[in-house]
Amino acid sequence: MARRAGSGLIVLWAAATAAYLALLAAPGDTVDSIIGDGADSPQIRAQIIAEWNLDRPAVVQYLDYLWRAAQGDLGRSYLLQRPVRDVIGDQLAPTLKLAVAAAVFGVVLALVLAVVTRGRWARRASSTAELVLVSTPPFLIGIVLLSVFSFRFGMFPVSGDRGWAALVLPAVTLGLPIAGVLAQVLRDGLDRALDEPFAVTARARGLTERSVLIRHGLRHSLLPAVTLLGWLSGVLIGGSVIIEQVFGRPGLGQVTLQAVSSSDMPVVLAVVVLAAAFFVVINTAADLAYLLIDPRLRRS
């Protein structure tokens, strides 16, 4: 756990540094971003430079940013003139709700597909459908679902975050590609697990094939799927930002779009670090899940 925490801190530092350097290299001037459409004069520019310490070298600003971030101070938004912590906090819950719903849907669908599609033709049909889902951009899936279930049949709201009905299509949009990847990994893991000696022993004890599959094979096939799910957590957060725009949902998508278009550096940096932190937490949880799934790892 100590090693994992140390590597997590390195990931957070690398993400913050990469985002900082990318924003420094981007065209535009920070003072112009802060002024926006407001009054502009040499005196106002000088006041902004002094207030935001923009006259210091970039290295000093970078080190100051890291020091404040380590203390939980993410700075103040150039555009909204509010603490970044409040800007992110107001929109974090809808994004997390969408990411969790998509993850649950993707995992459940992948488990069902891996267990049910064991026959030859069912496997081929499922593998083809999974390949299509993985290869299709999520925003295109979202547009198709909107056209069919919202505009044509009126079954779900077109936009917004009004109740569970507004969450269904965005969660399905994000969860389908995840289910496609996980189902393939789980199915291959099941094939390998059911050829292991413990499966032969279980059959010799009189267990049915379904019992061997669910009680033994599925558990042993979860390790690669858990590893992949930890990696897909980053896809969930990044995908949520895009899907929120497609479905007109509140969340970090609106905040990120405004921050990038207006060069609101503190907000962009906070979103990047938040996504990296979420990735680190999920992957640490995946490492702990290994110990629950496979007791042999505890002894080793």
Side-chain angles (χ1 to χ4, degrees):
M1 290 301 297
R3 288 196 305 269
R4 193 62 176 167
S7 62
L9 291 176
I10 293 175
V11 170
L12 293 178
W13 167 78
T17 301
Y20 191 89
L21 294 176
L23 289 173
L24 283 182
D29 183 69
T30 302
V31 177
D32 293 334
S33 302
I34 297 175
I35 291 176
D37 297 329
D40 188 3
S41 68
Q43 293 78 14
I44 293 177
R45 287 181 172 269
Q47 182 179 357
I48 290 175
I49 291 174
E51 179 181 357
W52 293 88
N53 297 317
L54 299 177
D55 54 343
R56 296 185 298 176
V59 175
V60 176
Q61 296 184 49
Y62 164 72
L63 294 176
D64 179 63
Y65 165 74
L66 290 182
W67 174 250
R68 287 187 289 104
Q71 296 176 320
D73 181 8
L74 299 176
R76 188 155 51 100
S77 169
Y78 294 162
L79 179 64
L80 302 176
Q81 294 298 310
R82 294 174 55 201
V84 173
R85 183 187 305 173
D86 296 341
V87 175
I88 299 296
D90 292 343
Q91 302 297 327
L92 183 59
T95 297
L96 289 180
K97 181 169 66 174
L98 173 57
V100 171
V104 171
F105 172 78
V107 170
V108 171
L109 181 58
L111 287 171
V112 172
L113 289 175
V115 173
V116 172
T117 57
R118 302 287 302 162
R120 178 181 177 185
W121 294 107
R123 177 192 295 265
R124 289 185 177 181
S126 180
S127 297
T128 302
E130 291 157 8
L131 180 60
V132 172
L133 291 176
V134 173
S135 305
T136 305
F139 71 87
L140 184 57
I141 298 176
I143 293 174
V144 172
L145 293 179
L146 270 176
S147 301
V148 175
F149 295 101
S150 293
F151 294 115
R152 184 174 180 82
F153 296 111
M155 297 174 59
F156 300 100
V158 176
S159 62
D161 186 23
R162 300 182 299 274
W164 68 268
L167 183 63
V168 172
L169 291 185
V172 171
T173 300
L174 269 178
L176 283 176
I178 293 175
V181 176
L182 288 179
Q184 295 182 24
V185 174
L186 280 171
R187 191 181 296 109
D188 292 340
L190 279 174
D191 291 340
R192 290 192 299 269
L194 294 178
D195 290 334
E196 293 290 333
F198 69 83
V200 178
T201 303
R203 294 188 188 99
R205 289 164 48 196
L207 292 180
T208 63
E209 190 65 26
R210 182 172 296 276
S211 297
V212 174
L213 173 67
I214 296 177
R215 293 174 55 184
H216 300 282
L218 191 59
R219 180 176 182 178
H220 285 78
S221 66
L222 285 179
L223 282 179
V226 169
T227 301
L228 187 60
L229 184 60
W231 174 77
L232 287 173
S233 62
V235 178
L236 277 175
I237 292 297
S240 298
V241 171
I242 299 174
I243 298 305
E244 284 170 355
Q245 297 298 307
V246 175
F247 289 91
R249 290 179 54 85
L252 293 181
Q254 296 286 348
V255 172
T256 305
L257 180 63
Q258 292 179 358
V260 172
S261 60
S262 60
S263 299
D264 197 343
M265 190 172 185
V267 176
V268 175
L269 287 172
V271 171
V272 171
V273 173
L274 180 64
F278 184 78
F279 181 81
V280 168
V281 170
I282 293 299
N283 278 271
T284 302
D287 287 346
L288 295 177
Y290 298 157
L291 306 180
L292 298 176
I293 296 173
D294 192 344
R296 294 172 299 180
L297 297 177
R298 306 173 203 169
R299 293 190 295 269
S300 61

